[in-house]
Amino acid sequence: MDDTRLRPDSIAAQALGWIDEQTRAITPPIHVSSTYLRDPDNQYRSGRGYARADNPAFDQAEAVMARLERGAAAALFASGMAAATAVFQALAPGDHVLAPKVMYWSLRNWLMNFARSWGLDVEFIDMTDTGALAAALRPGRTRLVWIETPANPLWTVTDIAASVDLAHRAGARVAVDSTVATPVLTRPIEHGADLVMHAATKYLNGHSDLLAGVLVTRADDDAWKRIKTIRAQLGGILGSFESWLLLRGMRTLYLRVHAASASAQRVAEHFARHALVEAVLYPGLPEAQGHAVAKRQMQGGFGGMLSIRAKGGEAAAIATAAHVGLWKRATSLGGCESLIEHRASVEGVGTPAPPDLLRLSVGIENVDDLIEDLEQALRRAHA
Ligand SMILES: Cc1ncc(COP(=O)(O)O)c(C=O)c1O
């Protein structure tokens, strides 16, 4: 069958259908060599010299990601943070950058501290408001607009196409942290984005057993070459075994993300009008900020992440997390197991998370078990 006509879930399930030509194996070998033989005439015709620059263990996972995101190329990194920070390090001191006020907290901290001290002019705005973006863009000075949608930990939604339109007219590139949407639900390059970033630690791998990051580029241009050089020189590369595990995880990406999204929708609807819950934050609820944009931008579900605000404030929220059984009290997201955490405790000073907020990562367990467990935990917290 013509490979270009295959639907993305078929591409993912067979990891592009590659086989190892030497052995006819349908899963790839794990290449661990740190170095490669030079030809007698001093050339490297294999295209590989040293594993900090490149590694055959990356090839298949990068090809799958480029295909799923409809990009020109992809690059694996040691973590989501290694991938994200490479994008900013490819800029020059003095460049103006716009980032959202609501975003993954560790990257926000890095931007506020390291990136600013290194000379980037980082400005945080309400990225869900295209008027605020239009006002903040400085034509010719703004080099990058960073979007995260849906965004940690309030799951606010940013209109990628509208933001790209404004940014490109001002001469700025757009990068999207699409960790929560995954290529299953949103493909930012189709909306005009220049770069897509994933903490592959989360849904792409899906089993809470490795850290990884990936960038996908719309074009194999100079900006991309700078990012690849940064990876090769700073050495924030993924290990060979982790690359292999990531590829294995991605084979079930579509099943897992569809299951988690359907369950998250059920959990959100169940607790949306609950006596012990102040509010549920989830883009799949009609009353949610950005629901109309999410309906356009996300296909097949609204993702597996939501937050609930417990009635009774911080103490009730922490007590609820204390009483769960099936949900696991842990940070991170996107694994098979459902996780719960009191987000303000994790993020500390400057967090946009209200003190009564519990962040939920819905896994692939039976959704009725998840709802019953959270019900009893809320009841016990309020007893
Ligand atoms: C949306 C988002 N972006 C980036 C990251 C960073 O990824 P990593 O922990 O793999 O460095 C995370 C991790 O939680 C995340 O949730």
Side-chain angles (χ1 to χ4, degrees), residues 14-29:
Q14 294 198 2
L16 276 168
W18 289 15
I19 50 154
D20 178 43
E21 287 301 341
Q22 238 173 2
T23 61
R24 311 298 286 163
I26 60 169
T27 58

Side-chain angles (χ1 to χ4, degrees), residues 79-81 104 148 152 177 179 197 199 201-202 211-212 333:
S79 67
M81 281 296 286
Y104 174 59
E148 180 179 325
N152 263 288
D177 181 342
T179 297
M197 175 255 151
T201 311
K202 319 297 178 185
L211 266 81
L333 59 106

